Amino acid sequence: MDLRKKLYQIFILGTEGGLYKEALKNNLGGIIFFTADIQNKNQFKNLIQECKSFALTPPFLSIDQEGGRVERTENIHNGKKYLSAKYALQKGFDFLQKQSEKIAKELKDYGINLNFAPCIDVNTNPANPIIGERSYSSNPDDVIKAEKIVAKTFQKNGIIPCAKHFPGHGDANTDSHLTLPEINLSLEEMEKIHIKPFKACAKEIDMIMAAHLHCTCFEKEEIPTSLSPNAINYLRNKLGFNGIIISDDMIMKGVAKFGTVEAIELGIRAGLNMFIYRNSNPDTINAIETIAQKAQYDKELSENIEKSFEKIMILKNTYFK
């Protein structure tokens, strides 16, 4: 397979912009679905089948289905939602397991194979505008127990879980959809609370999402964790995570100011394996094509693309039998 097709494999795009079908024909790695994509059960199943029919390689068919505030199937459920992480855990571990089972079986029935959950941020900042009830607890040990239940339940039902948002979004006081939040804690403080759940699941989970946060313990300059060589090396070498490191949505303002091509290049060089873009518009596709051209003559870029491609194929071959 040529390098361009391997590069396409490291992207998950949304349907907004409409170029996702062409991208799938070029070996796109996956699709992410949002509420606007999901009108009713049959329509959604048909959309998933259509995506599979265009794909050169079986794609990740993904969704953010945490429950509560972050849930994409509300049109199917007529507005009725699962409980968010905080309230599900308050009902006990048995309830959490049963709800996770229901979510996993429902997603599997539609044809989804990857869920960007569980959210294992430790919610230490009551003024946090983006995490709140999406976090299981302000206690890292409770978050760890919840993560193990949810991730294992998803895996057992053929859904790949993705733990997020490394290295922990719980202390932020701004929304990374709108700006780049700064987490000004020492590495020791981060490890004691926020990194602790990621350390606990690093050997058991196949995918971790890197946050668009400026963590001063990793980078003095204003570089988000998602593009930070120090943060990604820490996750690999200190925590021993050998799976796929994927970005949060690259359209978010916390990272968008770097420019599309520039951000992708920084991410690949830093060791990021996959990128999410909520759209498939000309700007995103042109950026992929630009990187494909550049990688032909750039050894570091091409080697990192090859490494990421191998990791993706290993995971797909494990789940897509």
Side-chain angles (χ1 to χ4, degrees):
M1 189 180 288
D2 67 34
L3 190 63
R4 177 173 168 270
K5 285 194 169 77
K6 288 179 178 178
L7 176 66
Y8 264 92
Q9 195 62 206
I10 75 174
F11 289 87
I12 292 178
L13 306 183
T15 64
E16 184 186 324
L19 296 179
Y20 66 99
K21 294 176 188 175
E22 284 306 309
L24 284 165
K25 291 175 188 174
N26 286 319
N27 206 36
L28 181 68
I31 301 286
I32 182 169
F33 300 102
F34 292 92
T35 306
D37 297 307
I38 307 168
Q39 300 310 313
N40 60 63
K41 198 180 285 190
N42 287 337
Q43 168 269 331
F44 187 36
K45 283 184 175 182
N46 289 338
L47 175 59
I48 284 176
Q49 284 305 316
E50 182 188 51
C51 289
K52 285 165 83 170
S53 74
F54 286 110
L56 280 188
T57 302
F60 289 123
L61 297 158
S62 66
I63 198 166
D64 289 291
Q65 192 81 338
E66 299 171 19
R69 262 172 53 190
V70 179
E71 191 169 322
R72 308 303 187 199
T73 51
E74 53 200 69
N75 292 329
I76 292 175
H77 295 158
N78 296 318
K80 191 181 177 198
K81 293 190 172 189
Y82 294 103
L83 291 186
S84 56
K86 175 184 175 182
Y87 300 115
L89 184 58
Q90 280 178 3
K91 282 184 164 281
F93 294 121
D94 189 51
F95 177 89
L96 181 64
Q97 192 276 325
K98 283 176 179 163
Q99 175 170 284
S100 301
E101 187 101 32
K102 279 178 78 173
I103 290 172
K105 285 184 171 166
E106 181 186 2
L107 294 180
K108 190 75 176 169
D109 180 53
Y110 300 141
I112 293 290
N113 52 41
L114 168 60
N115 189 10
F116 296 116
C119 180
I120 60 172
D121 303 296
V122 183
N123 195 45
T124 53
N125 184 353
N128 193 318
I130 190 62
I131 300 301
E133 68 186 60
R134 296 171 65 194
S135 166
Y136 292 104
S137 176
S138 57
N139 180 331
D141 295 323
D142 287 340
V143 172
I144 289 166
K145 287 173 193 166
E147 181 277 326
K148 288 188 184 301
I149 289 167
V150 175
K152 281 177 182 167
T153 303
F154 286 168
Q155 287 166 336
K156 190 182 76 181
N157 286 280
I159 302 291
I160 302 164
C162 174
K164 61 187 186 185
H165 308 79
F166 177 79
H169 215 302
D171 199 60
N173 58 9
T174 53
D175 181 351
S176 52
H177 291 86
L178 308 174
T179 186
L180 181 62
E182 181 176 283
I183 306 284
N184 194 15
L185 298 174
S186 69
L187 184 57
E188 187 183 17
E189 289 173 290
M190 287 294 289
E191 287 177 331
K192 197 162 65 177
I193 298 169
H194 299 283
I195 290 174
K196 197 175 179 182
F198 293 96
K199 183 179 181 180
C201 74
K203 302 284 173 67
E204 298 169 0
I205 207 154
D206 296 302
M207 189 178 286
I208 289 177
M209 182 183 290
H212 303 316
L213 297 169
H214 174 217
C215 295
T216 57
C217 66
F218 289 122
E219 299 287 350
K220 294 290 175 271
E221 285 179 65
E222 230 187 40
I223 298 170
T225 306
S226 49
L227 307 180
S228 159
N230 291 332
I232 289 170
N233 286 337
Y234 176 94
L235 180 53
R236 284 271 180 248
N237 302 323
K238 187 75 192 287
L239 300 191
F241 178 64
N242 196 36
I244 290 171
I245 305 172
I246 190 168
S247 76
D248 205 341
D249 186 0
M250 296 293 288
I251 302 298
M252 290 161 66
K253 297 290 192 293
V255 72
K257 69 176 185 178
F258 287 84
T260 313
V261 174
E262 295 79 3
I264 294 169
E265 186 175 338
L266 283 169
I268 293 172
R269 291 192 194 283
L272 197 62
N273 303 122
M274 293 194 80
F275 299 84
I276 299 172
Y277 279 85
R278 68 163 46 237
N279 61 36
S280 50
N281 64 19
D283 181 55
T284 305
I285 301 299
N286 290 340
I288 298 171
E289 294 289 352
T290 302
I291 294 289
Q293 289 296 317
K294 189 162 190 173
Q296 301 290 342
Y297 308 99
D298 189 310
K299 194 175 177 207
E300 184 187 44
L301 271 184
S302 63
E303 283 180 353
N304 283 8
I305 291 163
E306 292 277 0
K307 284 179 197 166
S308 294
F309 176 77
E310 283 171 25
K311 282 187 181 295
I312 292 162
M313 287 301 104
I314 289 167
L315 183 55
K316 287 187 172 182
N317 289 334
T318 303
Y319 275 86
F320 303 171
K321 289 173 180 172

